[in-house]
Amino acid sequence: MLQIETKIREQAPATILIVEGQSGHYAPLSNVLGHHGHRVLVASGAEEAQDIVRAEKPDLVLADILMPDMDGFRFVMRLREEKGLAQPQVVFRAAAHMEAEARELAWDCGVAHFVAMPAEPETLLATIQSALSAPPPRPVKPRSAAVAIGARLHSLAFRLHQRVAGLENLNAQLDTRIAEYAAQLMTARSALEQEVTKRIWAEKELTDANLRLHDKAVRDALTGLYNRRYLEESLDREVSRAKRSGLPFGVMMMDIDHFKRCNDSFGHAAGDAALRAVGQHVLSLTRSEDILCRYGGEEFVLVMTNASARAILQRAEALRLGVQGLEVEHESRRIGPVTLSIGVAMLPDHGDSGQAVLQAADAALYQAKRAGRNRVVVGGGTQAAS
């Protein structure tokens, strides 16, 4: 490459006409030639190129054998037949698969310089250098050249036809392959979508199963209310929230009076019916933010957040009166009467933690029992109702 560049620098600058053909790759070559001091002209077709040859008298024409408006051979024959025209050197370019026929055609029309494409830039530069250094173009006998060129053009056309047919066959094969791949991709996509859907459903079922297991773990099987475990998980959290927000917080501890007597008189199944009835009645009078739990045996705990002491005491009295009025039946027998004893404690009046308030409510419940049952007692021994 260095030797080629040195020879081009040593040669006097030339005027080179580039005829744009189907390759469309002349811009880089034009830059290279201009860099080496050559004057570069560009034509978009054979007709424009012939006008430029008349006007500018270029030293060399670089053209494709196949140009947009005519083949390169007829273009050269027209140049050679024009009297008084300064004849430039010509370098032909053609695709590699047409090289043999193209070289013979180039020779028949007096063009000795040919480059098979694609070619490296140094190969093109060397060919241009050789053409610029060559003797003037040899004369061509128009009639004999026309006969030879006609035959070779026929051969070239046949080769091009074969090439086109091969490309069409290859294109058909590619279309078939693309269709096959598209079908495979659709099948794979469908299978993937089914697999993703199955996994999503499996994950949903697993999540639902975990939620059911968790719910079962924190629910009382008999009443359907939350159990003592849930209360222990939730109490400290609700106390912390109440402290952060500065909102009131209260706990009720409730116990069904003389529950053992109910079991002894009517049987344990009847006692279970009484527990369910009391639990559902208390649940019907709780808010969505309240936490109602079966604490154990015949005891229930109601945690009320954002409720004043007065509101909690009113709620406790409403619960006591409501349970007192319940008509509980089991196997066509009326069970009862059923009454509640309730102990109430507030945060921070009766404790500064969840467990402390719960213990205070339990102590108040014990006092309600000792005072005769069926009543509400506030932590510290204050009787709210009887």
Side-chain angles (χ1 to χ4, degrees), residues 12-273:
T15 299
I16 299 176
L17 171 61
I18 301 176
V19 186
E20 292 185 338
Q22 295 181 349
S23 62
H25 295 157
Y26 288 112
L29 179 60
S30 177
N31 294 333
V32 171
L33 293 174
H35 176 71
H36 288 287
H38 295 294
R39 178 180 175 225
V40 179
L41 307 174
V42 179
S44 59
E47 293 290 347
E48 183 182 359
Q50 192 163 2
D51 292 338
I52 293 175
V53 171
R54 294 189 187 104
E56 301 292 338
K57 298 178 175 57
D59 301 296
L60 183 141
V61 176
L62 177 63
D64 281 1
I65 283 181
L66 299 177
M67 292 186 288
D69 49 354
M70 74 173 64
D71 63 76
F73 312 110
R74 283 188 291 170
F75 167 67
V76 171
M77 294 303 296
R78 288 177 62 174
L79 288 180
R80 300 295 187 248
E81 290 174 355
E82 188 169 339
K83 294 181 179 181
L85 182 66
Q87 295 294 327
Q89 296 286 357
V90 177
V91 175
F92 272 150
R93 300 185 350 149
H97 67 272
M98 300 187 301
E99 180 176 358
E101 290 82 1
R103 283 187 180 276
E104 292 177 355
L105 280 167
W107 181 257
D108 288 337
C109 62
V111 176
H113 306 287
F114 175 86
V115 176
M117 301 303 296
E120 296 296 328
E122 53 266 27
T123 302
L124 278 170
L125 289 172
T127 303
I128 290 172
Q129 169 66 23
S130 176
L132 288 172
S133 303
R138 62 184 176 84
V140 179
K141 296 180 180 180
R143 290 184 180 179
S144 60
V147 173
I149 288 173
R152 300 197 192 283
L153 282 175
H154 179 76
S155 175
L156 182 61
F158 178 73
R159 178 63 63 88
L160 287 174
H161 176 75
Q162 286 183 316
R163 185 70 172 179
V164 170
L167 290 174
E168 289 178 348
N169 182 54
L170 180 60
N171 187 56
Q173 293 178 13
L174 289 174
D175 288 342
T176 301
R177 290 287 183 87
I178 290 172
E180 292 174 353
Y181 291 152
Q184 292 174 4
L185 286 175
M186 289 296 294
T187 302
R189 180 180 177 181
S190 177
L192 181 60
E193 289 176 349
Q194 291 178 8
E195 183 64 23
V196 170
T197 301
K198 285 169 60 178
R199 293 199 176 195
I200 290 174
W201 278 106
E203 290 178 4
K204 183 178 182 302
E205 289 176 357
L206 181 60
T207 301
D208 292 344
N210 288 334
L211 289 174
R212 288 193 297 270
L213 286 173
H214 180 265
D215 192 63
K216 187 175 181 180
V218 298
R219 291 282 181 180
D220 173 57
L222 178 64
T223 63
L225 304 178
Y226 287 119
N227 57 22
R228 184 168 180 169
R229 173 184 173 181
Y230 184 80
L231 176 66
E232 292 172 349
E233 291 177 356
S234 307
L235 189 59
D236 289 339
R237 182 184 67 240
E238 295 300 327
V239 169
S240 298
R241 184 179 300 169
K243 288 181 177 180
R244 288 196 305 270
S245 61
L247 297 174
F249 178 92
V251 174
M252 293 184 209
M253 179 77 79
M254 297 168 277
D255 185 271
I256 299 176
D257 296 327
H258 302 296
F259 186 70
K260 185 175 183 303
R261 185 187 304 171
C262 175
N263 279 338
D264 293 342
S265 301
F266 300 99
H268 288 281
D272 290 345

